[in-house]
Amino acid sequence: MATPVLVVDDSGMSRKLVIKSLPADWNVEIHQASNGQEALALYREGKAHVIFLDLTMPVMDGFEVLEALKREGFNAFVIVISADVQPKAQERVKELGAMAFLKKPVKADEVLHVLKEHGLL
Amino acid sequence: MTMNNANLSIEQIDALQEIVNIAMGQAGDSLARVLNSFVRLSVPRIRLINSAQASQCIAEIVGDTQQITAVRQSFYNKLCGEALTLFSSEGCRDLATLMGHQTLDTETEKELLFDISNILVGACLNGIAEQLGADLSFSAPSLMASNVVSSQLLSPDTLPWAYALQVEVNFSLEQHKFKSHLIIMLAEDAITALADSLNYFIEAI
């Protein structure tokens, strides 16, 4: 069965880059959201086993998404992909339950490494 | 070229937004290291403005009753224009405390603001130029205005062009009043060069 993957970023180009960086042989069903609110709605519909999450977004940012996920039982693997590269931002998202932090622009080998490391491939 | 056909496509704006986002992240990281604080980043805003609107835009960005101090750096080569770093007067005092100054004379404050401007402008402009494969140089900071009402910062004749592409990013600190607005204005003549660079960038994805 295909893994439901949710790509969350306010930039369409950035979502495209993330999708392109996913391993070609990974059987996935891709969903997209352009802000945190849309992302949570899709998560609640079960469309997010793995979430690629941007931090700086309008309406609801990535930190708020992680907080909401925490309140709702956190039934997903979250990989934060962000341009906010402050060590504190990285620490914070890990504390909030994110599995990994990758810097933008994202690289395919880094995504592959994280997925393998956490047994998702 | 007129303002109308200077418009970038939605795809070009999206690409620029993401490029600015990455550059701003690097600037925020540098600022966080200097101030030893967590820096909150805003979503970059990009719009085309004419020089008559410029003053109103600044007032809108920082609040029109706000007293501000502005540092200006020009950039040139294929991409050219002006970068303004705006500080609220209140934020300046906060910055001094953050940097360990008990009292602050005008000269020291100026140096401090120049340092912050250099960090933000340098990281942002270099980040943008690097991603677009464009060469870019910029001037040393100069004090544009000190403690003025925001709506009086720019007059139409301060800017040597009819319109510009304005990129705005905001940096703020948690639990502090310090806030800085970085405003990059790309001159009208450089918009075509930017559009070309963005097309290369988009094609390469």
Side-chain angles (χ1 to χ4, degrees):
Chain A
M1 218 181 71
T3 307
V5 168
L6 176 61
V7 180
V8 193
D9 200 302
D10 52 324
S11 156
M13 194 195 78
S14 186
R15 292 198 300 273
K16 198 164 136 190
L17 280 171
V18 171
I19 294 166
K20 267 193 74 176
S21 74
L22 303 180
D25 56 350
W26 192 23
N27 183 16
V28 289
E29 174 196 293
I30 293 168
H31 303 278
Q32 300 186 41
S34 59
N35 65 54
Q37 239 167 43
E38 286 176 26
L40 284 178
L42 289 163
Y43 166 78
R44 289 173 193 138
E45 287 170 31
K47 289 175 176 162
H49 181 58
V50 179
I51 304 176
F52 291 92
L53 181 67
D54 181 28
L55 290 181
T56 318
M57 287 185 294
V59 189
M60 185 191 229
D61 70 21
F63 292 108
E64 293 172 292
V65 171
L66 287 166
E67 280 158 16
L69 287 176
K70 212 169 188 179
R71 284 195 299 274
E72 296 183 23
F74 222 116
N75 188 22
F77 292 96
V78 179
I79 299 164
V80 169
I81 298 184
S82 177
D84 187 345
V85 294
Q86 298 174 68
K88 239 182 212 163
Q90 306 190 29
E91 254 169 56
R92 232 176 243 201
V93 299
K94 294 262 178 77
E95 272 166 25
L96 286 167
M99 179 175 90
F101 183 102
L102 297 178
K103 287 179 187 179
K104 277 186 178 180
V106 68
K107 292 177 189 69
D109 56 340
E110 289 172 2
V111 173
L112 185 69
H113 179 80
V114 166
L115 293 174
K116 278 192 171 156
E117 196 182 26
H118 293 86
L120 289 161
L121 268 185
Chain B
M1 198 200 242
T2 66
M3 191 151 153
N4 276 341
N5 58 29
N7 273 326
L8 298 175
S9 69
I10 291 173
E11 202 184 13
Q12 286 168 332
I13 299 249
D14 186 33
L16 180 60
Q17 183 114 21
E18 200 47 29
I19 287 169
V20 172
N21 203 22
I22 291 175
M24 169 187 82
Q26 290 160 359
D29 185 42
S30 306
L31 185 64
R33 285 169 203 273
V34 171
L35 299 181
N36 200 18
S37 302
F38 183 65
V39 177
R40 283 212 172 267
L41 306 168
S42 69
V43 178
R45 178 156 69 161
I46 297 165
R47 57 183 167 173
L48 202 60
I49 57 156
N50 62 47
S51 56
Q53 291 171 313
S55 145
Q56 189 47 42
C57 289
I58 301 285
E60 202 186 288
I61 290 166
V62 297
D64 45 9
T65 56
Q66 193 65 248
Q67 292 256 316
I68 54 167
T69 293
V71 177
R72 177 180 195 164
Q73 294 187 254
S74 310
F75 56 96
Y76 40 90
N77 274 359
K78 206 168 103 183
L79 299 178
C80 61
E82 297 274 344
L84 308 181
T85 314
L86 310 180
F87 305 91
S88 69
S89 299
E90 197 178 39
C92 288
R93 288 190 290 275
D94 196 34
L95 176 67
T97 320
L98 271 164
M99 298 294 280
H101 296 277
Q102 302 284 330
T103 53
L104 202 60
D105 57 81
T106 327
E107 200 50 36
T108 319
E109 183 185 90
K110 197 173 92 180
E111 270 172 35
L112 204 52
L113 298 183
F114 282 7
D115 285 345
I116 302 293
S117 174
N118 258 330
I119 289 168
L120 296 181
V121 172
C124 267
L125 288 181
N126 284 331
I128 293 168
E130 208 173 280
Q131 293 177 78
L132 285 175
D135 276 333
L136 187 142
S137 314
F138 44 91
S139 70
S142 65
L143 192 64
M144 191 180 179
S146 187
N147 298 309
V148 295
V149 175
S150 62
S151 56
Q152 286 165 4
L153 180 68
L154 295 176
S155 60
D157 50 321
T158 330
L159 301 172
W161 53 72
Y163 58 89
L165 188 72
Q166 187 190 61
V167 177
E168 173 206 343
V169 279
N170 304 322
F171 303 88
S172 57
L173 301 184
E174 279 179 338
Q175 289 138 16
H176 288 282
K177 284 177 181 145
F178 173 81
K179 192 171 186 180
S180 180
H181 304 269
L182 174 63
I183 295 166
I184 300 170
M185 288 181 288
L186 188 78
E188 54 185 313
D189 295 339
I191 297 178
T192 316
L194 173 73
D196 290 345
S197 301
L198 286 171
N199 288 341
Y200 279 121
F201 182 86
I202 293 164
E203 274 164 32
I205 293 172

